[in-house]
């Protein structure tokens, strides 16, 4: 992943200074949250007797949808979407995602990224460079809610 774009994104999203050491934590975060969303989507597809996970199966909340919109605005400046496409690999599930569903992954990851950056600022308003304890706190919130 382009470390400089990653750094610029977090600066633009929440005035945070992250570095390449944060990249692994970030990658683990987006992998885990995308997987969580896909697990719920898979259950919805199964409940509706479909073998394919459609976009409407993804549990996109109002807040996440708003974060996706903010990501789109930020992405014009930072151009992170091509890099997020690389992170958008998904694990094998019982139900395969449709092409339309897979095409949404980069923006969903972008929305999660904006929400994560904003969560740092809400939980730790004075933090400029998130440390391990900040990452753990922010990801715990997402684990609780997603």
């Amino acid at each position: 992943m382009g470390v400089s774009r990653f750094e610029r994104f977090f600066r633009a999203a929440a005035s945070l200074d992250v570095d390449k050491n944060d990249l692994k934590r970030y990658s683990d975060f987006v992998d885990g949250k995308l997987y969580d969303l896909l697990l719920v989507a898979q259950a919805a597809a199964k409940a509706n007797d479909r073998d394919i996970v459609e976009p409407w199966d993804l549990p996109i909340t109002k807040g996440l949808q708003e974060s996706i919109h903010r990501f789109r605005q930020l992405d014009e400046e930072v151009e992170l979407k091509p890099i997020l496409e690389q992170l958008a690999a998904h694990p094998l599930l019982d139900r395969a995602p449709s092409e339309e569903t897979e095409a949404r992954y980069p923006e969903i990851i972008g929305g999660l990224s904006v929400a994560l950056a904003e969560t740092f600022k809400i939980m730790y308003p004075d933090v400029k460079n998130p440390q391990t304890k900040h990452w753990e706190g922010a990801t715990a919130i997402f684990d609780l809610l997603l």
Side-chain angles (χ1 to χ4, degrees):
M1 181 176 182
V3 175
S4 63
R5 285 188 189 176
F6 169 72
E7 292 169 341
R8 275 188 300 171
F9 171 77
F10 274 90
R11 260 193 306 278
S15 300
L16 294 171
D17 293 323
V18 295
D19 55 37
K20 65 181 180 179
N21 296 326
D22 293 313
L23 194 54
K24 172 75 169 116
R25 287 184 273 230
Y26 171 73
S27 180
D28 290 347
F29 169 80
V30 295
D31 285 347
K33 292 302 111 198
L34 181 61
Y35 179 75
D36 291 347
L37 291 171
L38 287 171
L39 278 180
V40 174
Q42 176 181 262
K46 185 176 182 179
N48 288 298
D49 228 10
R50 284 185 279 103
D51 292 332
I52 301 291
V53 174
E54 296 293 350
W56 54 84
D57 293 321
L58 292 162
I60 305 297
T61 63
K62 177 183 173 281
L64 180 53
Q65 186 63 48
E66 290 170 356
S67 293
I68 290 169
H69 289 301
R70 285 192 300 278
F71 167 73
R72 288 178 185 144
Q73 293 168 347
L74 279 172
D75 194 45
E76 290 177 14
E77 173 186 336
V78 180
E79 297 179 357
L80 195 62
K81 190 174 177 181
I83 293 169
L84 295 182
E85 288 171 354
Q86 298 169 14
L87 289 176
H90 62 84
L92 294 176
L93 301 169
D94 292 340
R95 305 277 190 278
S98 69
E99 287 182 22
E100 186 180 352
T101 302
E102 286 183 330
R104 293 186 182 196
Y105 291 174
E107 286 190 339
I108 291 169
I109 291 171
L112 288 167
S113 301
V114 168
L116 174 65
E118 291 174 351
T119 299
F120 282 126
K121 292 312 280 186
I122 291 168
M123 292 179 66
Y124 314 105
D126 298 328
V127 166
K128 291 293 181 198
N129 185 350
Q131 301 301 307
T132 301
K133 69 179 183 176
H134 304 119
W135 280 92
E136 289 171 351
T139 56
I141 296 296
F142 281 84
D143 289 344
L144 181 66
L145 297 174
L146 287 182

